[in-house]
Amino acid sequence: MSERELVGLGALVVLVLLLLLRLPVAVAMLATGIGGSWVLSLVAPFLRFEPYLRQFKTLFWNTVASYDLSVVPLFVLMGYLASRGGLARDLFAGIQALVGRRRGGVAMAAIGACAGFGAVCGSSLATASTMGRVALPELRRLGYHPRLSTGALAAGGTLGILIPPSVPLVIYAIVVEASILEMFRAAILPGLLAVALFLAAIALRVRRDPGLAPETPAMLPAERRTALLRLLPVLLLFGAIILGLGLGLFTPTPAAGVGVCLVLLYGVVLRRLGRGGLDRSEIGRASLDTAVTTGMIYLILFAAEVLKGFFARTGLPAALAAWAAASELEPWLVLLAMLLLLVVLGCFLESLSMIVVVLPFFWPVLLALNGGEAVGAPDAAFGLDADELKVWFGILALVVVELGLITPPVGLNLFIIGSLAPDVPMRETVRGVAPFLAAEGLRVALLLLVPALSLALPRWLAG
Amino acid sequence: MLERAAAALAIAGGTILLAIAAVTGLNVLLYLADALAPGRLGIVKGYEDLVRLWVGAAVPMLLPWCELRRGHVAVDLLAERLPAAAQRALERLGVAASLTLALFLAFWMVQGLLETRADGRIASVLGWPEWPFLLPGLVSLLLWAAVAGARLLPGARG
């Protein structure tokens, strides 16, 4: 191992230490990248530090003034406007009117509403928090067992990470230089598969233990009609965004811009009708919420750019890839080990940090094991060319990363739902998500064995 | 006062994002109209330039509020098991690092702004000079540093 690679390895250890010291992730990454580059200039004098520093004259501006990244703040803003605009409430009530009478139907409605809300929100945490506030009181009122209620909502919240438009998908695409649109298209079927498996998990759970979900009284016909009528504009909104993206009518930034306009219009109309909705103060609050999330995301993306540049200078990712290519390692085993490691790391690390810190190391290794950048599908270890491997691996990795949101001890969705139901012990919520974790395990297996689940739609839409 | 300034800047940034959304909506409508009646209406000229410049101005405006609300993610694995005093010290270390970072970026942004202005760099389609769009970023980075600095003052709430 060369001195430069050793510096890279040492920097990785320092990064982990800084993270353990609870330094903000972006700050830890930047400190590692900049400090590591200084050390590198001492070890390898031709990698001078002063010219390296001069890139910061434009690097920050180039990151924030990126057309490709502009999709992120717009999707985040859309999510917060939707969250404050009453959209989640109408969505849940509408789906409840459709399936709520079945045993377990209200929990199923909560899953459906989480999926729908995830489609306009793009954030798992915002989905869990918003749908938790909307659906949890109703589930409790109808006598659903706290274990089922909190478990379904914590798990349902994870649907936001994959169902497009999703901010983590955008970030993955940027980190590994994949097409955002391809990633969105690839995520549609796996996202729907998760919804189907979660619904099946509820149905099986309730069949085995009917006490978890009592019979729900029928809605009054007028009440049902109103709920269904109010669902229509919400469905049109989702349709416009998902179909627009899926069919290639929009590229991501216009889709996000149009989404913001539609959600805003919807919220303002609701306000006029006297049914909540959005006024100036709510829009202002949505802007402030957007500021917190977007500021955090952009800083991490900027830090990822700095860290990527540093590690490229150390030659560590290339050395790892070369070592993997020369090794006799079984590609499928390595892939499984990577996914397993992501599950374990997901128990401790926040999902965005995993995408920007860990995946840039995994991707070159996987690419090398597959046969390199130029390999064709027939000769590739995974039977996929580099572009398709990037998409397939991204979907798999994000599904596994989202498991971290409902895995103790740092499953953030568990804490969000826990804070909304303080009387429910955390162990009940953890027990409640267990069937959904099993469903997720099944989904990972299906996505591994049948790559077409992720790739069929992008292939079909690309003609 | 810092809180008000950070909130005002964040809301201004949010307003720019809404303006981007509005221009995007208009662009899509014009695109559809052009598809129906070719040649009558064009799309917004330099749309991508406009989005890039506006978002470049808007995003840094969100950072001071993010700092104020402690929005930066951190890993709660080891630190939460430490004594309260050690946790406070680590928190201050994180804030001090944020302050250093904000000042570091502000310093280099001044250099970048001067260079962009001296080079006469313009947006490729719109032809607008780029340097004025860096100014909100510079103000925001300084405010971010001020917010982080205030959090380090004795008696500050973390």
Side-chain angles (χ1 to χ4, degrees):
Chain A
M1 196 173 239
S2 74
E3 281 184 321
R4 281 164 57 197
E5 288 157 16
L6 277 175
V7 170
L9 211 56
L12 208 54
V13 175
V14 171
L15 176 63
V16 173
L17 284 175
L18 292 178
L19 291 176
L20 288 176
L21 287 178
R22 212 188 173 284
L23 225 59
V25 172
V27 175
M29 290 163 73
L30 281 163
T32 308
I34 298 170
S37 292
W38 176 70
V39 175
L40 204 56
S41 71
L42 301 178
V43 171
F46 64 95
L47 294 171
R48 288 167 54 212
F49 189 53
E50 199 193 333
Y52 166 80
L53 276 182
R54 270 194 236 118
Q55 68 166 328
F56 287 95
K57 278 197 267 192
T58 50
L59 191 61
F60 183 66
W61 168 251
N62 288 342
T63 305
V64 293
S66 152
Y67 178 77
D68 288 340
L69 278 182
S70 63
V71 65
V72 171
L74 291 173
F75 275 142
V76 172
L77 179 62
M78 179 169 78
Y80 282 117
L81 287 172
S83 170
R84 292 190 169 274
L87 187 141
R89 185 193 55 215
D90 285 352
L91 180 64
F92 176 61
I95 301 179
Q96 195 185 344
L98 285 173
V99 298
R101 278 219 67 198
R102 296 173 57 99
R103 193 177 277 274
V106 185
M108 292 179 182
I111 293 288
C114 281
F117 191 75
V120 286
C121 174
S123 153
S124 288
L125 301 182
T127 303
S129 159
T130 306
M131 290 315 307
R133 277 199 301 269
V134 169
L136 200 54
E138 185 70 359
L139 287 160
R140 305 292 297 271
R141 185 182 70 81
L142 293 168
Y144 274 62
H145 195 287
R147 190 186 308 156
L148 179 63
S149 312
T150 54
L153 284 167
T158 64
L159 294 170
I161 203 171
L162 206 59
I163 293 180
S166 142
V167 172
L169 272 178
V170 173
I171 290 169
Y172 170 81
I174 287 164
V175 166
V176 303
E177 294 166 11
S179 152
I180 297 174
L181 197 56
E182 290 268 297
M183 290 306 304
F184 278 172
R185 287 170 173 171
I188 291 175
L189 282 181
L192 292 177
L193 180 64
V195 177
L197 289 173
F198 281 6
L199 294 181
I202 293 175
L204 285 173
R205 194 84 191 81
V206 170
R207 181 184 284 190
R208 278 185 57 191
D209 187 355
L212 290 174
E215 293 270 2
T216 308
M219 273 177 156
L220 295 172
E223 201 184 344
R224 188 163 186 267
R225 211 168 28 247
T226 308
L228 289 174
L229 272 176
R230 287 177 182 175
L231 180 64
L232 274 181
V234 183
L235 289 181
L236 281 176
L237 205 150
F238 296 150
I241 295 169
I242 292 213
L243 284 179
L245 278 170
L247 298 176
L249 301 175
F250 296 133
T251 53
T253 297
V258 168
V260 170
C261 291
L262 291 177
V263 171
L264 193 62
L265 187 69
Y266 177 83
V268 170
V269 169
L270 276 193
R271 189 78 190 175
R272 285 283 164 93
L273 296 173
R275 296 201 292 114
L278 293 166
D279 59 8
R280 276 178 63 178
S281 72
E282 288 293 336
I283 295 169
R285 283 192 196 108
S287 291
L288 292 177
D289 293 340
T290 303
V292 176
T293 307
T294 305
M296 177 267 287
I297 293 173
Y298 263 85
L299 214 54
I300 287 188
L301 286 172
F302 172 64
E305 198 61 35
V306 172
L307 202 61
K308 194 167 90 177
F310 161 67
F311 280 123
R313 284 153 66 93
T314 65
L316 187 62
L320 276 176
W323 168 78
S327 72
E328 298 289 310
L329 291 171
E330 171 54 47
W332 281 91
L333 275 180
V334 175
L335 175 61
L336 285 175
M338 284 177 176
L339 295 178
L340 203 62
L341 191 60
L342 284 175
V343 173
V344 175
L345 286 175
C347 299
F348 307 102
L349 272 177
E350 188 272 333
S351 53
L352 205 57
S353 322
M354 292 216 300
I355 296 171
V356 295
V357 175
V358 182
L359 294 187
F361 283 97
F362 282 3
W363 169 243
V365 172
L366 207 61
L367 184 63
L369 286 172
N370 191 48
E373 191 76 59
V375 74
D379 303 321
F382 294 104
L384 303 169
D385 65 27
D387 286 337
E388 287 200 331
L389 181 70
K390 203 178 273 186
V391 172
W392 179 59
F393 176 60
I395 298 297
L396 278 169
L398 286 186
V399 170
V400 170
V401 164
E402 89 182 22
L403 282 179
L405 291 169
I406 48 172
T407 317
V410 294
L412 288 176
N413 278 12
L414 297 176
F415 290 106
I416 286 175
I417 298 300
S419 70
L420 295 172
D423 57 317
V424 181
M426 184 53 80
R427 66 173 181 280
E428 278 294 294
T429 308
V430 172
R431 283 180 70 187
V433 295
F436 300 101
L437 279 174
E440 285 292 69
L442 180 59
R443 180 162 69 133
V444 173
L446 285 171
L447 292 173
L448 266 172
L449 296 172
V450 192
L453 281 170
S454 309
L455 300 171
L457 208 53
R459 281 177 186 159
W460 180 60
L461 289 167
Chain B
M1 198 185 85
L2 280 178
E3 184 168 350
R4 274 192 187 174
L9 213 56
I11 289 177
T15 308
I16 296 176
L17 292 178
L18 285 173
I20 293 173
V23 171
T24 303
L26 177 69
N27 197 35
V28 169
L29 285 178
L30 288 174
Y31 179 81
L32 292 174
D34 193 60
L36 293 173
R40 297 250 175 113
L41 293 164
I43 55 171
V44 176
K45 189 186 162 209
Y47 165 74
E48 290 195 13
D49 266 358
L50 189 121
V51 170
R52 197 175 60 76
L53 293 174
W54 283 9
V55 86
V59 166
M61 293 164 87
L62 312 176
L63 292 172
W65 185 255
C66 182
E67 174 68 37
L68 196 105
R69 306 297 297 178
R70 302 177 203 179
H72 302 299
V73 286
V75 179
D76 276 316
L77 180 60
L78 195 69
E80 63 181 7
R81 291 171 198 179
L82 296 174
Q87 286 193 34
R88 272 198 302 276
L90 288 179
E91 170 87 24
R92 288 173 75 79
L93 177 69
V95 178
S98 284
L99 168 64
T100 312
L101 173 64
L103 290 174
F104 173 83
L105 291 178
F107 171 79
W108 284 109
M109 198 162 199
V110 171
Q111 313 291 317
L113 195 153
L114 294 174
E115 193 175 275
T116 306
R117 190 161 184 261
D119 291 351
R121 209 171 298 155
I122 55 170
S124 56
V125 179
L126 287 174
W128 295 353
E130 282 203 5
W131 71 267
F133 293 91
L134 275 81
L135 283 171
L138 185 57
V139 173
S140 307
L141 290 174
L142 292 174
L143 184 60
W144 172 18
V147 168
R151 287 182 63 195
L152 285 177
L153 290 176
R157 285 170 293 162

